[in-house]
Amino acid sequence: MELSRVDAIIERNGSRGASLLAILQDVQDEANYLPREALEHVSKRLELPLARVYAMATFFQAFHLEPRGKYVCTVCMGTACHVRGAARLVEQLERDLEVKSGGTTKDLQFTVEEVNCVGACALGPLVIINGEYHGTMTADRLTKTVEGLKKAEGGTR
Amino acid sequence: MTLNLTINGVRVEAEEGESLLDVARRNGFEIPSLCHHEAVAAYGACRLCLVEVTKGGRKKLTTSCNYEVLGGIEVVTESAAIRRHRAMVLELILAEAPESATVKALAAEYGVTRSRFAASGAGEDRDGCILCGLCARVCAEVVGANALTFRKRGDNRQMGTPFVEEPQTCIACGACAWVCPTSCVGFDEQNGERKVHRWKRSLPLAKTEKGHAFAPQFQLFHFRKLAKLEADFYKKAPGER
Ligand code: SF4
Ligand code: SF4
Ligand code: FES
């Protein structure tokens, strides 16, 4: 991420400690994660200790310190989804994408993660891909969906 | 303004803004604590300083280190219930710091010699740390180096340095190791170098004109700046002046 982009975000939110959370949110929106250089730059510009910026960046689940994939596949692990085989869906994704749950593929295309419950139990088992809900998912259909996305990206993988 | 309150039935006086822990201790009442230090702001992390406060006829258990005294309250610092709560807290703390002599001794006073709990095992460097936050508060409020912080939260909470790397703002003063209640920071000086083990920080010691290894250069620089001293002030150690 260009530091000039971080500067623009700081300008927009105000260069003060109270804006830290809003600034980090905007950085993550743009870069998809919180790059280290950006955190260091924010610390310098706001004259806040890096320790404080880092503390906030690691406190909230919504922030990520590692790059995330273009497609974020979130498997709901709530009770209803769980009893309908959500764990198998996670395994399927891990196999298809060759990445551990919580991780991102090397080509930065896919992130696999679990969430405890999104409250759409009637649709379980549920996989959310970039905010789009795919209900009553099966392992086969999940593989096909992922294949489809890979193809749409030019079959690079 | 002077306030009147009672502690274990004894009338005592306090100034507005004082903490209950300070007032009680000043008057000779013992209250255990692990996360409190007079040099830094109270934080309420260890929960050992629990006491019972009755205010307007209502009783409650509260931590005393971060409780500002009020006029007319009645405080009890020891009771079966209080001891039971502290014993439970100590059992939880003992699980995290089973090697700490301080924790073991304190736990023994409350009849706790072993813990039924497993250490949270949140991560590689949670070893012996009870997350009291004293090191980070001292580093920020007293030293001014801001080298330490909590990261993450809940079960995954850990104390450490930004990006879990050698902290660039750490002056290796050792204050964190000194205040750590479980002595889990670790600190030594050898071969002209000072090391703060837990944070993996090591800095060369500056030498005086007479060649005595004295203190880390960075620390002296920091002190010179804070106290506005001459550039060559530390060419002589205090004993050599
Ligand atoms: S040794 Fe480093 S981390 Fe510890 S209090 Fe001093 S400056 Fe802070
Ligand atoms: S390292 Fe020591 S002082 Fe710091 S939080 Fe852990 S127990 Fe407390
Ligand atoms: S001394 Fe009060 S909570 Fe630790």
Side-chain angles (χ1 to χ4, degrees):
Chain A
M1 186 180 197
E2 297 278 340
L3 291 185
S4 60
R5 294 297 314 144
V6 181
D7 282 327
I9 289 172
I10 293 172
E11 270 0 296
R12 194 159 73 227
N13 287 284
S15 179
R16 54 197 142 78
S19 310
L20 180 59
L21 183 57
I23 290 169
L24 295 188
Q25 279 174 322
D26 286 2
V27 169
Q28 163 136 332
D29 272 353
E30 244 182 66
N32 221 0
Y33 76 112
L34 297 176
R36 178 176 180 153
E37 320 80 71
L39 294 179
E40 286 168 347
H41 192 63
V42 168
S43 145
K44 254 190 227 112
R45 285 282 323 265
L46 301 194
E47 293 175 19
L48 284 178
L50 184 60
R52 268 195 56 199
V53 177
Y54 179 77
M56 188 174 277
T58 59
F59 184 81
F60 294 103
Q61 298 282 345
F63 289 139
H64 302 273
L65 272 76
E66 300 293 330
R68 315 216 355 159
K70 183 168 174 192
Y71 298 101
V72 178
C73 310
T74 310
V75 182
C76 179
M77 295 298 265
T79 312
C81 289
H82 197 273
V83 297
R84 291 183 206 150
R88 286 204 46 226
L89 297 180
V90 174
E91 282 167 23
Q92 189 69 33
L93 280 173
E94 288 181 330
R95 252 196 313 272
D96 288 349
L97 296 169
E98 294 167 31
V99 66
K100 275 242 159 280
S101 174
T104 297
T105 56
K106 285 208 187 65
D107 60 3
L108 296 186
Q109 289 293 310
F110 292 93
T111 294
V112 177
E113 62 182 25
E114 296 161 37
V115 65
N116 282 336
C117 185
V118 296
C121 304
L123 296 176
L126 182 73
V127 178
I128 306 163
I129 301 176
N130 281 3
E132 202 179 304
Y133 285 51
H134 300 260
T136 52
M137 187 51 99
T138 63
D140 277 357
R141 197 146 59 78
L142 189 52
T143 299
K144 284 198 189 103
T145 310
V146 168
E147 286 304 323
L149 290 173
K150 282 186 191 169
K151 283 226 182 65
E153 290 300 320
T156 44
R157 275 179 58 93
Chain B
M1 196 178 83
T2 304
L3 305 170
N4 290 295
L5 56 145
T6 71
I7 302 181
N8 298 347
V10 181
R11 289 184 59 111
V12 301
E13 286 186 352
E15 288 306 314
E16 217 172 352
E18 280 190 289
S19 84
L20 184 47
L21 182 66
D22 289 343
V23 174
R25 286 185 172 169
R26 189 176 64 230
N27 285 283
F29 299 101
E30 278 180 31
I31 298 175
S33 69
L34 284 173
C35 76
H36 176 264
H37 194 283
E38 63 201 11
V40 294
Y43 190 62
C46 74
R47 318 312 288 175
L48 268 182
C49 65
L50 281 174
V51 297
E52 194 183 271
V53 174
T54 307
K55 180 178 128 196
R58 295 177 65 148
K59 249 193 224 174
K60 68 166 182 179
L61 274 176
T62 178
T63 46
S64 56
C65 65
N66 55 1
Y67 185 98
E68 237 180 67
V69 281
L70 297 169
I73 55 172
E74 293 161 28
V75 182
V76 175
T77 64
E78 283 278 341
S79 72
I82 292 169
R83 286 192 69 86
R84 215 169 45 241
H85 278 97
R86 288 190 193 145
M88 183 49 136
V89 167
L90 279 162
E91 196 175 341
L92 288 160
I93 291 175
L94 187 62
E96 299 291 345
E99 311 292 333
S100 158
T102 310
V103 172
K104 278 198 281 196
L106 200 50
E109 279 179 38
Y110 283 80
V112 177
T113 49
R114 54 176 291 275
S115 183
R116 288 164 292 171
F117 306 104
S120 58
E124 64 299 339
D125 59 4
R126 182 90 161 248
D127 245 13
C129 171
I130 60 168
L131 301 178
C132 72
L134 259 183
C135 52
R137 276 178 285 151
V138 165
C139 186
E141 295 175 36
V142 180
V143 184
N146 288 296
L148 306 173
T149 178
F150 282 120
R151 67 173 177 280
K152 302 197 180 163
R153 60 169 160 184
D155 285 355
N156 298 318
R157 196 160 164 87
Q158 290 188 29
M159 173 54 71
T161 58
F163 302 101
V164 205
E165 285 175 3
E166 180 171 358
Q168 295 309 308
T169 59
C170 167
I171 60 171
C173 66
C176 51
W178 174 255
V179 293
C180 175
T182 67
S183 310
C184 71
V185 175
F187 170 79
D188 71 34
E189 242 175 58
Q190 262 175 29
N191 309 326
E193 210 173 35
R194 186 180 285 176
K195 288 200 166 103
V196 192
H197 300 292
R198 198 176 187 101
W199 323 128
K200 302 189 173 60
R201 179 62 155 169
S202 56
L203 285 179
L205 295 175
K207 293 215 164 76
T208 63
E209 276 167 354
K210 294 193 174 157
H212 295 132
F214 178 33
Q217 280 156 353
F218 208 177
Q219 178 177 1
L220 297 180
F221 177 77
H222 186 73
F223 287 172
R224 268 202 328 256
K225 208 169 78 181
L226 276 183
K228 301 195 174 68
L229 302 172
E230 303 291 319
D232 63 354
F233 186 82
Y234 287 116
K235 287 276 183 259
K236 290 185 169 59
E240 295 172 355
R241 275 182 225 289

